[in-house]
Amino acid sequence: MRVLVTGGAGFIGSQVVEQLVERGADVVVLDSLAAHDDAPDYLPPVVDLRIGDLMDEDTVRDAVHGVDAVCHQAARVGLGVDFDDVTSYVSDNDLGTASLLRALWRRSFTGRLVVASSMVVYGEGRYRCAVDGETAAAPRQAEDLRAGRFDPPCPRCGAPLEWVLVGENAPLDPRNVYAATKVHTEQLAFLYGREAVASVCALRYHNVYGPRMPKDTPYAGVASIFRSAYEAGRAPRVFEDGGQMRDFVHVRDVARANVLALDSSWSGACNIASGQPHSVLDMATALAAGFGAAAPAPQVTGEFRLGDVRHVVASAALAGDVLGFRAEVGFDDGMAAFAKDPLR
């Protein structure tokens, strides 16, 4: 099988490439290398590396030629700096996806398409009110956050809410620019699937961490930011009260989910998560343990970013049922290894 992996030199894409090559697949990587000084030495030498941007029509046309399946990982990720990033996100994620899909359409591609999505498409997770039952939380207000009221109240009665697992049938409610582009990526891919009669699977990643994660940029994930702080001998700054609940899933598990999805013909969206929710403060503490007794304790600051959500924890049941995916890397072991993993 010949597989195109866009963004195949990146954090998640390169791990997908490695697992595909280990299985004997013929792999084409399309990557702009914008985040690299040169082609990374961890890419297997048998890979057919095409250096170029998704907006380059000739490059994309050549990359999709003759492939049986596509794994679309290329994207600008993270919350970014502020709304001034909007054109970069839309260009890289929306227009980049559209350019890829147009190239596939022009060659009448009807093979397997797997696209990287994110938990951020849900906005705030799902909640349950003791009075009103399961409900969606309204966007948090700056005045509440400044006052230290981090948990959203019930939008109907104002009572405290309890978070519950988010299933794939939850309404999509993007609350930052990156999230909006991921919703659109899914919509474009599924529309292509209907028009071209191709099977499409969108994998909604939760908080991915592990080797080759980018560091020291505004677009790095929270695990990478905390890791960089510990390496510099500083206490990581934990926003809000550290009680934000997330699901931290190892990149090797995420890559394996992509390979399973490429092998499957099931169409739809799947949460890709460990099934072991932890708070952001839990993560900072577990990562500190990997650095040893001399690591400074995490500093809970009360700071906040208005585009962040409080709790979002997924149900991983569907991916187990339709893809056979279950995470294998445990939280404590994964975080201990991450303290020493090479970052990009």
Side-chain angles (χ1 to χ4, degrees), residues 89-90 93-98 101 115-117 121 172 174 177-192:
Y89 274 98
V90 171
N93 297 356
D94 292 350
L95 294 179
T97 298
L101 296 176
V115 299
S117 186
V121 300
L172 303 186
V177 170
Y178 170 61
T181 65
K182 279 300 175 183
V183 170
H184 200 206
T185 291
E186 286 193 19
Q187 291 172 335
L188 289 172
F190 287 126
L191 177 60
Y192 178 85

Side-chain angles (χ1 to χ4, degrees), residues 1 6 20 24 30 43 47 50 64 94 101 108 115 192 225 230 233 238 249-250 253 261 281 288 312:
M1 181 170 70
T6 69
L20 286 170
L30 175 59
L43 280 179
V47 164
R50 312 291 182 91
V64 303
D94 292 350
L101 296 176
S108 301
V115 299
Y192 178 85
I225 292 169
Y230 282 127
V238 179
V249 58
H250 197 274
D253 282 327
L281 183 56
V312 54

Side-chain angles (χ1 to χ4, degrees), residues 121-130 132-140 151-167 169-175 309-311:
V121 300
Y122 298 121
E124 281 286 349
R126 302 299 295 173
Y127 292 85
R128 181 179 292 113
C129 172
D132 293 303
E134 190 165 326
T135 185
R140 298 187 295 169
D151 285 295
C154 176
R156 300 190 187 104
C157 70
L161 294 174
E162 174 189 11
W163 65 265
V164 296
L165 295 177
V166 182
N169 60 350
L172 303 186
D173 184 19
R175 303 209 175 173
V309 298
R310 179 61 174 174
H311 305 302

Side-chain angles (χ1 to χ4, degrees), residues 241-252:
D241 60 359
Q244 308 94 306
M245 295 301 296
R246 298 290 189 269
D247 187 303
F248 298 93
V249 58
H250 197 274
V251 67
R252 287 201 300 272

Side-chain angles (χ1 to χ4, degrees), residues 5-13 30-36 52-54 71-79 88-98 100 114-118 120 177-186 203 205 214 217 219-220 344:
V5 182
T6 69
F11 169 41
I12 298 172
L30 175 59
D31 199 297
S32 69
L33 299 186
H36 306 264
D53 191 275
L54 280 172
C71 186
H72 180 36
Q73 302 294 317
R76 181 179 292 265
V77 300
L79 189 59
S88 298
Y89 274 98
V90 171
S91 176
D92 289 351
N93 297 356
D94 292 350
L95 294 179
T97 298
L100 171 66
V114 175
V115 299
S117 186
S118 171
V120 296
V177 170
Y178 170 61
T181 65
K182 279 300 175 183
V183 170
H184 200 206
T185 291
E186 286 193 19
L203 302 181
Y205 305 153
T217 82
Y219 309 97
R344 193 181 76 226

